Amino acid sequence: MTELSFALLGFMPVLVIVAGLHDLTTMKIPNWLSGLLILGFFPAALALALPLSVVGVSVGAAVVALLIGAGMFALRWLGGGDAKLLAAVMLWLGLPGAMPFLLFTAMAGGGLCLVLILARAHLQVYAGNGPVWVSRLLEPKGDVPYGVAIAIGALLAYPASPLVRAFAGV
């Protein structure tokens, strides 16, 4: 059972890395990634014998994150894929991982924005010489692939999640 639990724990990190890279290169996060994250949580919770109350709190945290993400999407602060990824990740992190996740995501997002501002100001001349996705990133008023920040925040906060803590016996 330990090998299965370990494999299931690796599911979320792999998918958020794929989501972050997909957002970086296409400015889109496919629905199937968020869907797989949601579907993958329940077998992981079952394999690690998470109490039903912890699963319920995690579902509640994900719903709240989805509502907040939808509001941010309505205000055009982030994309729809970002809002769905945020909620799917929150399902895995639950309440114990929520604050570290939000803090790490905000810090990563700020750093990403700063890097893009500097790159757009100083590397614009190189924009046409690379892949299309690099040119898109360097557009002066281009979008920010916030899925990258969400992925970084998720990876850094994951040790605080109920799933990892259950696996570690904490």
Side-chain angles (χ1 to χ4, degrees):
M1 187 60 130
T2 304
E3 291 83 13
L4 176 62
S5 300
F6 188 71
L8 289 169
L9 279 178
F11 194 71
M12 190 276 280
V14 168
L15 286 180
V16 297
I17 290 169
V18 170
L21 290 173
H22 203 279
D23 198 23
L24 181 69
T25 58
T26 67
M27 293 296 204
K28 290 179 174 48
I29 300 171
N31 288 336
W32 64 264
L33 281 168
S34 296
L36 281 177
L37 278 167
I38 292 166
L39 291 174
F41 169 77
F42 296 100
L46 183 63
L48 290 162
L50 278 188
L52 193 54
S53 61
V54 173
V55 172
V57 168
S58 292
V59 169
V63 169
V64 169
L66 183 61
L67 293 173
I68 292 170
M72 294 172 77
F73 172 72
L75 294 169
R76 300 183 58 120
W77 291 352
L78 50 80
D82 299 321
K84 291 177 266 188
L85 180 63
L86 193 70
V89 166
M90 191 63 77
L91 181 64
W92 283 80
L93 298 178
L95 215 46
M99 289 312 293
F101 171 56
L102 296 175
L103 178 64
F104 289 136
T105 299
M107 290 171 45
L112 177 62
C113 287
L114 182 60
V115 166
L116 285 175
I117 288 169
L118 292 172
R120 288 169 179 171
H122 300 289
L123 300 176
Q124 189 62 38
V125 66
Y126 302 108
N129 296 335
V132 173
W133 66 270
V134 173
S135 297
R136 190 180 314 114
L137 282 175
L138 294 177
E139 288 176 5
K141 295 203 185 252
D143 290 333
V144 175
Y146 209 75
V148 173
I150 294 169
I152 292 169
L155 293 171
L156 292 173
Y158 198 36
S161 77
L163 290 166
V164 173
R165 294 173 59 89
F167 181 77
V170 179

